Amino acid sequence: IKFSIPELESAAKLGRPVDDQKYEGLKLKHQMDIDEQVYVGDASINVGGLLNNALVTNVSNVPNGAAASPLWTSKTPAEILADVNALLVSVWTTSAFAEMPNKLLLPPTLFGYISTQLISSAGTTSILKYLLENNILTASGKGTLDIQPAKWLIGAGSGGTLGTTGTVDRMVLYRKEKQYVRYPMTLLQRTPVQFLGLYHTTTYYCKLGVVEVPYPETISYRDGI
C-alpha cells in the first residue's frame, strides 16, 4: 500500500480515511484469493481445491428421475432425497463406515430452489427442510447435515464450464473436520512503514497453501444436478 502526504492530508480534511480504504481493498482481494484457492485451487500450478481435487475418486453423475432427467428441478422431493441419501451412503461406505459426512455444498441457484420450493402444493415444508429432517445422517443420530451454497459449484461438473450457468453443475459432500480436510496458510503480515520522499509505503504479505485431503475417501462429487 502506498499513499502520499498530500493524499493523507486531503483525506483527513474530507473525513475519508484513504489508508483504511486501501487496506480494506487489499483485505478483500486477499480473502477472494483464499476463497478461490480453497474451492477450486490454482490451475497455473496444477493443484485443485475442495471441489475438484484429483485425489477424490468417488465421482459420478446423479441418476435420472421419473421425468428422465437428472436435474433436481425436474425431480420430485422424494427423488432429491434419494440422491442425497445415496451420496451419504456412498461416502460412508468408502470410508469403511468409520465416519459419516456432514457437509453438503450445492450451487447457489439450486440451493435457492430447494429453499423455496414446497414438497407439495398443499404442504408448508420446503424441500430443504424435508432433506434436513429425513436424511440418514439425522436419522442415525450421529449429527445433522449442513447444506450450504457455494458459487464455485456452478459449472464445476465434468464437461461443464466453471462459473457458467446452464452447464454441468456439481454437488460436494464431505466431513468438515481438520483431520479429513484442511487448508494451511499464514496470517496477513506487514513490513514497517517506509518513508520515500512524499510517499508512505508498507508491504503486506502471507503464504497460501493448497487444500489437503488426507482421507479422500470421505469426499464425494455428484454431477448433473
Side-chain angles (χ1 to χ4, degrees):
I1 293 180
K2 177 181 179 182
F3 36 81
S4 67
I5 293 174
E7 190 178 12
L8 287 172
E9 291 176 345
S10 298
K13 291 178 181 179
L14 293 172
R16 287 192 305 113
V18 65
D19 48 343
D20 286 345
Q21 289 176 338
K22 289 186 176 183
Y23 177 59
E24 289 300 320
L26 181 145
K27 284 200 302 180
L28 177 61
K29 178 63 168 66
H30 175 243
Q31 291 162 2
M32 291 173 67
D33 286 346
I34 294 172
D35 186 66
E36 182 174 5
Q37 184 73 11
V38 166
Y39 286 111
V40 295
D42 188 344
S44 67
I45 56 175
N46 197 31
V47 295
L50 175 64
L51 312 183
N52 59 351
N53 200 286
L55 295 176
V56 177
T57 57
N58 190 350
V59 185
S60 65
N61 295 323
V62 294
N64 287 343
S69 171
L71 300 177
W72 277 11
T73 52
S74 300
K75 288 185 174 182
T76 65
E79 290 174 334
I80 294 173
L81 177 62
D83 286 346
V84 172
N85 279 334
L87 188 54
L88 281 162
V89 170
S90 174
V91 180
W92 194 22
T93 303
T94 56
S95 65
F97 302 101
E99 292 288 354
M100 192 176 288
N102 59 10
K103 186 88 170 184
L104 178 64
L105 299 180
L106 299 173
T109 52
L110 200 55
F111 180 82
Y113 172 77
I114 65 172
S115 298
T116 56
Q117 188 74 17
L118 301 181
I119 59 173
S120 70
S121 58
T124 58
T125 300
S126 67
I127 296 177
L128 176 60
K129 186 177 180 181
Y130 174 67
L131 296 178
L132 293 173
E133 292 177 348
N134 295 280
N135 66 83
I136 62 170
L137 174 60
T138 301
S140 71
K142 296 180 180 294
T144 57
L145 184 62
D146 183 19
I147 303 177
Q148 296 294 334
K151 68 176 184 179
W152 297 102
L153 287 169
I154 299 172
S158 178
T161 303
L162 187 64
T164 302
T165 56
T167 58
V168 184
D169 291 343
R170 166 172 287 181
M171 65 175 169
V172 175
L173 184 67
Y174 68 103
R175 187 165 186 86
K176 190 178 179 181
E177 292 183 10
K178 64 180 180 181
Q179 63 264 43
Y180 301 115
V181 59
R182 53 182 177 253
Y183 179 71
M185 59 173 287
T186 65
L187 295 176
L188 192 62
Q189 303 176 70
R190 70 176 184 132
T191 61
V193 175
Q194 297 181 346
F195 303 98
L196 303 173
L198 282 176
Y199 296 95
H200 296 177
T201 66
T202 182
T203 300
Y204 289 82
Y205 63 96
C206 73
K207 285 190 174 182
L208 304 183
V210 298
V211 169
E212 299 173 352
V213 287
Y215 300 97
E217 300 83 4
T218 61
I219 303 175
S220 183
Y221 306 149
R222 289 294 181 272
D223 298 342
I225 58 172

